[in-house]
Amino acid sequence: MRDHNDAAITIDGVSKQYEGEGGTTTALREISLSVSSGEFVTVLGPSGCGKTTLLRLVSGLESPTDGDITVAGKLVQVPDPNRGTVFQAYHLFPWLTVRENVAFGLVEQGVPDAERQDRVQEMLEVIGLSNFADAYPKELSGGMKQRVGLARALAVDPDILLMDEPFGSVDMQTRRQLQHELIHIWRDTDKTVLFVTHDIEEAVALSDRIVVMSGTPGCVQATVSVAESRPRNRSAQWFVDQVETLFERIKSNT
């Protein structure tokens, strides 16, 4: 595990409530945790425990009802390109090519054309889609679309990657491959990653730390460190035991 020092993300006593016709629904209750710079932290829990809501709060797409979220010491109030977000749904623009989709954030930031082209080409090489630069999303497989989404988030060079079950809609083989590629990108770029999943094996395979969420309303039940070096052998006894322990922990709180 790498040495992490400064807190990149601090979530302090955060709760989130929604008002509806049936009254008030509490999605999150008094969430407190921090993610260090360069750390890979996964939020793990069953469906409906508020994992996606938490990520949306960190991204600035929503605001907490109570508590504060700070990134590099600054209060999160609105979305910021320094927090790149990758969703389960690809959210690619169907009328744009792969190259144009990856370039979108750079265009929005007014990055000069030559620099933008160089950056896009670099990202296409990182995700292995240089040969598909002029293809449209409808011509891509699910795994390829997710690679484009990741490249678009990385293109603006954010310090933080927020990932909401990004591999949940692809087959198992593609999912394993994308996990492997993500770890390589994370190591090479030293990004801070906050990753959301309900897949226990995925959490154990990827993470420095796993934040285990309990049911509704969502709250932090436990934080588990995973110190083993990567790549991790999923058939190793420690891996099997860790998955089983986390499964029992989550099952007992749903």
Side-chain angles (χ1 to χ4, degrees):
M1 186 183 300
R2 295 186 291 185
D3 182 34
H4 309 293
N5 296 309
D6 299 332
I9 305 169
T10 302
I11 301 169
D12 185 13
V14 163
S15 297
K16 179 64 178 178
Q17 296 178 334
Y18 295 99
E19 300 295 335
E21 294 182 359
T24 301
T25 299
T26 302
L28 295 171
R29 183 177 61 201
E30 296 181 1
I31 303 291
S32 293
L33 63 97
S34 64
V35 181
S36 298
S37 179
E39 191 177 19
F40 196 123
V41 172
T42 294
V43 179
L44 173 69
S47 298
C49 72
K51 303 185 302 294
T52 294
T53 298
L54 182 62
L55 209 69
R56 289 178 64 83
L57 295 175
V58 176
S59 73
L61 291 170
E62 297 187 38
S63 299
T65 307
D66 295 295
D68 294 318
I69 299 174
T70 56
V71 169
K74 296 182 179 179
L75 188 67
V76 172
Q77 296 177 305
V78 294
D80 187 291
N82 198 41
R83 300 187 299 276
T85 306
V86 182
F87 299 99
Q88 179 175 348
Y90 310 117
H91 291 303
L92 301 182
F93 300 110
W95 60 89
L96 299 181
T97 64
V98 166
R99 187 191 312 275
E100 291 166 339
N101 267 285
V102 174
F104 181 80
L106 298 172
V107 173
E108 291 292 297
Q109 291 183 357
V111 174
D113 184 64
E115 180 183 347
R116 184 171 70 244
Q117 290 185 36
D118 288 345
R119 182 66 176 164
V120 169
Q121 186 58 40
E122 178 187 354
M123 289 299 98
L124 290 175
E125 290 172 4
V126 166
I127 64 169
L129 288 180
S130 297
N131 292 337
F132 292 86
D134 297 317
Y136 288 89
K138 67 180 180 181
E139 303 172 75
L140 305 178
S141 68
M144 293 164 76
K145 290 176 183 177
Q146 199 55 278
R147 285 188 178 93
V148 176
L150 178 58
R152 183 173 61 187
L154 288 168
V156 297
D157 197 24
D159 289 335
I160 294 170
L161 274 179
L162 305 174
M163 309 190 75
D164 185 11
E165 303 209 43
F167 310 141
S169 57
V170 297
D171 62 83
M172 179 57 69
Q173 181 178 349
T174 303
R175 186 180 189 125
R176 291 279 183 92
Q177 184 177 356
L178 289 172
Q179 290 168 356
H180 181 73
E181 292 171 2
L182 174 60
I183 288 299
H184 273 284
I185 291 170
W186 168 71
R187 281 176 162 167
D188 290 345
T189 61
D190 205 36
K191 303 295 183 192
T192 302
V193 178
L194 185 59
F195 190 99
V196 160
T197 187
H198 66 270
D199 186 309
I200 301 174
E201 282 198 14
E202 183 169 65
V204 176
L206 296 178
S207 315
D208 289 328
R209 284 190 298 135
I210 301 169
V211 177
V212 183
M213 300 277 287
S214 64
T216 306
C219 59
V220 175
Q221 180 201 354
T223 301
V224 178
S225 294
V226 187
E228 281 73 11
S229 61
R230 302 172 180 86
R232 292 169 177 164
N233 181 357
R234 296 173 194 243
S235 61
Q237 192 59 51
W238 76 264
F239 193 102
V240 174
D241 291 345
Q242 184 74 274
V243 169
E244 182 63 23
T245 298
L246 288 167
F247 173 76
E248 291 298 330
R249 186 184 290 274
I250 291 171
K251 186 175 71 172
S252 66
N253 284 274
T254 55

